[in-house]
Amino acid sequence: MRPDVAIVTGAARGIGAAICKRLEAAGWRVAGLDRSWDDDNVHVPVVRETVDVTDFDAVRNCVSRIESGIGPVAVLVNNAGITRDAMAHKMNPRDFTAVIDVNLAGPFHLIRAVLPTMREHAFGRIVSISSMNAQRGQAGQANYAAAKAGLIGLTKVVALENAARGITANCVAPGFIETDMTAAMRGDVRDAEIARIPAGRIGAPADIAGTVAFLASSEASFITGQVLSVNGGQLMP
Ligand code: NAI
């Protein structure tokens, strides 16, 4: 039987919670990982693990627990991410490293932990959430754009190394999506950003979740090493 377990990081809210819900609807058994969970989580996946993606040993133990508890991992969605914005000439180097640790080293830790099983079963779908701001640059986000662009490079290498083993690796590059991350922005900056979206609206977490579910599906088996932009036409790279 083909493995049917999906791991989603940053699953407690926002885009990650929407991805869990959508993958469950598509028949995957979902293990959600997050560094913290609130009681009012909008969606609770079948398995809920508390783990910090920056800690490789913790990630490796968590993946082993999932594999021995519910089965081999078929799908990995690297969604956990943070921002620590500041202009490059004022950015605290600790904030640079913190964003690289979560947004780039974190996905590597997960990929490193799931690949041996995926290779053994000759099946895997790895989807990593990058960003439009990695494709175009964004003032104030030297750390974030570097990490999210690095994620695209990492994805291409993993795609090449594992293509012959039935494993695909792709990125989704969201534009401006309505979550806690964007709600934290200054109101006028947020409104100006929305006014620049050709589709005339902010994106919904479900817009990203649907794309991830497609990339995880059998219809997408010949798509690998790609970056799929989901941004309402705001950037056409
Ligand atoms: P969010 O801030 O609402 O949720 C992120 C989740 O990741 C949180 O539940 C948080 O606890 C978890 N997380 C953070 N650090 C972690 C760590 N070290 N270990 C485990 N979990 C951790 O963010 P949102 O908006 O849902 O974003 C999800 C992904 O989409 C992120 O990678 C973000 O960079 C990316 N993205 C978001 C966009 C947007 O407009 N909201 C646009 C482009 C990309």
Side-chain angles (χ1 to χ4, degrees):
M1 204 179 72
R2 210 180 73 181
D4 65 350
V5 172
I7 285 182
V8 179
T9 70
R13 57 181 201 214
I15 294 171
I19 292 170
C20 290
K21 205 170 159 186
R22 184 64 187 77
L23 289 181
E24 278 171 10
W28 300 102
R29 289 186 298 139
V30 178
L33 276 52
D34 209 293
R35 67 178 167 188
S36 64
W37 296 87
D38 303 328
D39 287 340
D40 61 347
N41 285 127
V42 282
H43 182 74
V44 178
V46 173
V47 173
R48 200 161 85 157
E49 289 274 353
T50 303
V51 66
D52 184 334
V53 297
T54 65
D55 180 343
F56 178 58
D57 288 337
V59 165
R60 193 163 44 182
N61 290 338
C62 176
V63 169
S64 315
R65 245 186 343 265
I66 291 165
E67 297 200 314
S68 53
I70 55 170
V73 175
V75 178
L76 165 65
V77 184
N78 282 310
N79 166 79
I82 59 166
T83 52
R84 294 277 186 280
D85 294 359
M87 297 289 273
H89 65 284
K90 292 183 183 166
M91 186 176 284
N92 183 326
R94 279 195 299 277
D95 286 339
F96 187 86
T97 310
V99 170
I100 298 287
D101 280 351
V102 177
N103 297 12
L104 181 55
F108 171 71
H109 294 157
L110 267 300
I111 288 169
R112 174 67 184 82
V114 301
L115 267 178
T117 300
M118 286 183 175
R119 289 173 63 89
E120 193 187 312
H121 287 86
F123 181 84
R125 296 277 186 270
I126 298 172
V127 184
S128 297
I129 309 299
S130 180
S131 169
M132 175 176 72
N133 291 350
Q135 300 167 298
R136 66 171 186 181
Q138 174 69 31
Q141 294 201 316
N143 47 7
Y144 185 81
K148 294 294 192 182
L151 192 49
I152 294 172
L154 168 62
T155 295
K156 289 180 179 175
V157 173
V158 171
L160 275 176
E161 289 179 354
N162 296 284
R165 294 287 190 118
I167 300 166
T168 67
N170 293 287
C171 281
V172 174
F176 204 52
I177 311 297
E178 189 156 32
T179 67
D180 291 350
M181 189 177 266
T182 45
M185 290 170 74
R186 224 175 60 204
D188 56 330
V189 176
R190 189 170 175 278
D191 292 347
E193 191 74 28
I194 294 171
R196 280 194 289 268
I197 303 173
R201 67 168 175 94
I202 191 167
D207 291 317
I208 307 306
T211 309
V212 170
F214 165 66
L215 288 171
S217 74
S218 53
E219 276 85 7
S221 62
F222 206 50
I223 302 175
T224 195
Q226 303 303 308
V227 182
L228 200 37
S229 299
V230 184
N231 61 30
Q234 200 176 352
L235 183 76
M236 303 183 188

